[in-house]
């Protein structure tokens, strides 16, 4: 997955607990970290899945937009499925 890189001068430094909590919140996996969380495991699962699908949708739309912007209306055929 991610490669470890030395800290850049431009990167904000933080402590590991804060960073882990922020990542868990971002991906919807902070249910056990937040003591005031009253959502059920099922609801937390559905929320995290929704976040993942939204991220995938955004990424795919960005890829198509970038591809579309690079097209110059040249002649083409169907794309190779591989």
């Amino acid at each position: 997955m991610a490669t470890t890189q030395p800290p850049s001068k431009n990167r904000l430094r933080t402590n590991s607990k804060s960073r882990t909590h922020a990542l868990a919140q971002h991906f919807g996996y902070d249910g056990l970290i937040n003591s005031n969380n009253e959502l059920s495991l099922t609801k937390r699962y559905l929320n995290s899945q929704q976040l993942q699908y939204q991220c995938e949708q955004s990424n795919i739309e960005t890829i198509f937009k970038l591809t579309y912007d690079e097209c110059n209306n040249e002649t083409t055929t169907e794309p190779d499925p591989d």
Side-chain angles (χ1 to χ4, degrees):
M1 286 191 122
T3 60
T4 49
Q5 299 175 358
S8 160
K9 290 181 182 178
N10 298 332
R11 294 175 78 182
L12 180 65
R13 291 183 181 248
T14 185
N15 66 52
S16 58
K17 271 196 168 198
S18 294
R19 184 64 181 138
T20 301
H21 189 213
L23 285 170
Q25 281 181 316
H26 177 78
F27 291 106
Y29 296 123
D30 62 330
L32 296 178
I33 295 172
N34 291 328
S35 58
N36 62 349
N37 191 334
E38 297 177 3
L39 297 176
S40 69
L41 179 61
T42 301
K43 184 66 176 163
R44 294 193 315 264
Y45 168 78
L46 293 172
N47 288 345
S48 68
Q49 286 297 306
Q50 183 68 26
L51 287 171
Q52 181 179 347
Y53 291 138
Q54 287 173 344
C55 185
E56 287 177 16
Q57 181 71 25
S58 176
N59 289 342
I60 291 170
E61 288 180 7
T62 299
I63 290 167
F64 273 107
K65 175 65 169 119
L66 291 170
T67 303
Y68 177 82
D69 289 346
E70 289 297 316
C71 292
N72 294 315
N73 214 17
E74 54 275 339
T75 304
T76 187
T77 62
E78 288 297 314
D80 184 356
D82 293 334

